Amino acid sequence: MLASGHQALGLSSGLIVMTILPQMGLVPDTPFEALLFMIFILFGSLLPDIDTPRSKLGYHFWRLLIFILLLAFGFYLFAPEYLDQYRGELKVFVMLMAPLLVMVKSHRKMTHSVLFIGLLTVYHVIITHFFNVPSFYFFGFITGVVSHLLGDYITKRGIPLFYPIYRKHFRFLLTFKTGSSIERGLVWFLSVWNIWFLVTQVF
């Protein structure tokens, strides 16, 4: 799926999850938190494509990461005392970035597997423990990631669900080609449904 398809499917999935969260006792307290929840969903819906610099998210992410690394190297050369001052923050940053660097081998590999969702769950436990982040943000984030995998699952290429143990790509019985007229029609339908759902909930 293209980025627009993943975002449309992610938003649809997020709206559905928003109706389920109250039953789990996880409700955003303010409109801003609800908006942030949806932002987490949209980010998660693009995250698996971070494994390639050619994707929309991957392009900006890797440029930003290179900038941060160059900045850290500059501090190491000319102002090492700042690195010592923020050593704890740097450890957290490296801990979060290291798995992503390992995953960048080729498109639709580690980041399109069940293992990737498991790793994100582990990171959720670590982050919520140290930074006290509300759990419903994680549900939004994972919803976006799962919607991405679902979107690629219904394309002709499929996804390697059990990578790296089993590298075969799985796909749905009915599939379409990425960027095809079928995908564009699906994006249009989901966009109309999202608008209709939001309007009916507000009014």
Side-chain angles (χ1 to χ4, degrees):
M1 257 190 173
L2 299 177
S4 57
H6 284 305
Q7 289 174 318
L9 182 58
L11 183 58
S12 299
S13 303
L15 292 175
I16 294 173
V17 170
M18 280 286 284
T19 64
I20 300 174
L21 285 178
Q23 303 174 20
M24 303 171 61
L26 301 172
V27 183
D29 294 328
T30 65
F32 175 76
E33 289 186 346
L35 177 62
L36 194 58
F37 172 83
M38 299 308 297
I39 291 175
F40 269 88
I41 288 176
L42 292 177
F43 178 73
S45 71
L46 296 176
L47 181 67
D49 280 347
I50 206 170
D51 60 357
T52 171
R54 294 190 300 272
S55 70
K56 180 179 290 187
L57 180 60
Y59 174 76
H60 296 290
F61 172 80
W62 294 111
R63 291 184 68 182
L64 178 62
L65 180 60
I66 290 173
F67 171 77
I68 293 174
L69 292 176
L70 290 175
L71 186 63
F73 183 67
F75 276 112
Y76 175 77
L77 290 178
F78 303 106
E81 63 274 8
Y82 285 101
L83 294 182
D84 290 334
Q85 183 178 354
Y86 297 101
R87 185 176 298 274
E89 289 79 0
L90 287 172
K91 286 182 180 180
V92 173
F93 176 77
V94 172
M95 181 180 65
L96 292 174
M97 292 300 106
L100 292 177
L101 294 174
V102 173
M103 292 171 192
V104 182
K105 293 183 177 180
S106 59
H107 188 39
R108 291 200 190 186
K109 295 296 183 185
M110 178 68 76
T111 58
H112 288 69
S113 67
V114 175
L115 178 60
F116 183 60
I117 297 177
L119 288 173
L120 291 178
T121 302
V122 172
Y123 277 109
H124 158 70
V125 174
I126 295 173
I127 292 173
T128 53
H129 176 73
F130 286 103
F131 300 101
N132 195 28
V133 179
S135 296
F136 63 82
Y137 291 141
F138 168 74
F139 280 97
F141 183 63
I142 288 297
T143 296
V145 173
V146 171
S147 73
H148 183 109
L149 269 59
L150 176 61
D152 284 343
Y153 179 70
I154 59 178
T155 62
K156 291 188 177 298
R157 186 177 178 184
I159 56 174
L161 274 175
F162 304 107
Y163 185 92
I165 298 174
Y166 190 50
R167 304 192 177 206
K168 178 182 178 181
H169 282 228
F170 293 86
R171 60 186 183 183
F172 192 60
L173 295 176
L174 301 176
T175 61
F176 56 82
K177 186 177 180 180
T178 300
S180 65
S181 57
I182 297 178
E183 179 177 344
R184 291 193 295 271
L186 179 62
V187 172
W188 181 86
F189 170 79
L190 290 175
S191 299
V192 171
W193 184 86
N194 291 337
I195 295 172
W196 172 84
F197 185 88
L198 288 172
V199 170
T200 54
Q201 291 299 308
V202 172
F203 300 102

